[in-house]
Amino acid sequence: NAGVTQTPKFRVLKTGQSMTLLCAQDMNHEYMYWYRQDPGMGLRLIHYSVGEGTTAKGEVPDGYNVSRLKKQNFLLGLESAAPSQTSVYFCASNKGFGAFFGQGTRLTVV
Amino acid sequence: KNQVEQSPQSLIILEGKNCTLQCNYTVSPFSNLRWYKQDTGRGPVSLTIMTFSENTKSNGRYTATLDADTKQSSLHITASQLSDSASYICVVSERYGGSQGNLIFGKGTKLSVKP
């Protein structure tokens, strides 16, 4: 039982490049989330999903897209990366009893 | 609007001392409240989870309390250690979906334990 796994753990992108972050959970949780955390700040919700095939916008969705084609996976895409998207990204899953978090992806856009 | 407010924003204590962190919430309908510890550069890790009917729960040197009537929770850390230095986040779950996917985050309390 791995819990919540994020890949990759680190990535450096050039401005304008695209990439996809993968979040996988093996706990059969319905809810999955993507957050970003900037230095000294709290977690901010980007997008979330309440089940397979559904997604919804969070607090800071601009510049990101998501997909939940399979219940266990939640993908976060950056179509055209910008320096403002430099951050640490956390994925989480939840079945109504609080969230379990991945270890984070540190993304730098230069 | 559903909100979770934590205090203090930051706290410095000496090793071996006790401290208490506060969390007030206005989330309704309430499902549960979790306290998380987040070390720098790491994902949050759950310390305790409390439902409506529970008013205290311990995890080692961490003891959380919940007053569902006043919508307040506290996290008490006993005999602090240097490794307790971290951010402590209070997260309240709504009973149903809501606009934030049912999780409402506090902004956290940054605790520094000094030798």
Side-chain angles (χ1 to χ4, degrees), chain A residues 41-104:
Chain A
M41 303 283 287
L43 290 153
R44 291 188 292 169
L45 182 63
I46 303 171
H47 286 279
Y48 66 98
S49 167
V50 300
E52 181 180 318
T54 72
T55 63
K57 294 181 180 180
E59 181 185 357
V60 289
D62 294 341
Y64 305 95
N65 57 75
V66 288
S67 65
R68 183 99 180 268
L69 299 179
K70 293 183 179 180
K71 187 176 184 179
Q72 64 267 33
N73 295 336
F74 194 30
L75 279 65
L76 178 71
L78 286 74
E79 289 186 347
S80 180
S84 60
Q85 294 177 305
T86 293
S87 188
V88 180
Y89 292 84
F90 289 102
C91 174
S93 71
N94 176 25
K95 199 174 183 179
F97 293 100
F100 292 85
F101 287 85
Q103 285 303 298

Side-chain angles (χ1 to χ4, degrees), chain B residues 33 35 50 55-57 63-67 72-75:
Chain B
L33 183 149
W35 283 94
M50 302 178 73
N55 54 25
T56 187
K57 187 165 282 189
T63 299
T65 65
L66 174 66
D67 186 332
Q72 295 180 325
S73 176
S74 66
L75 180 69

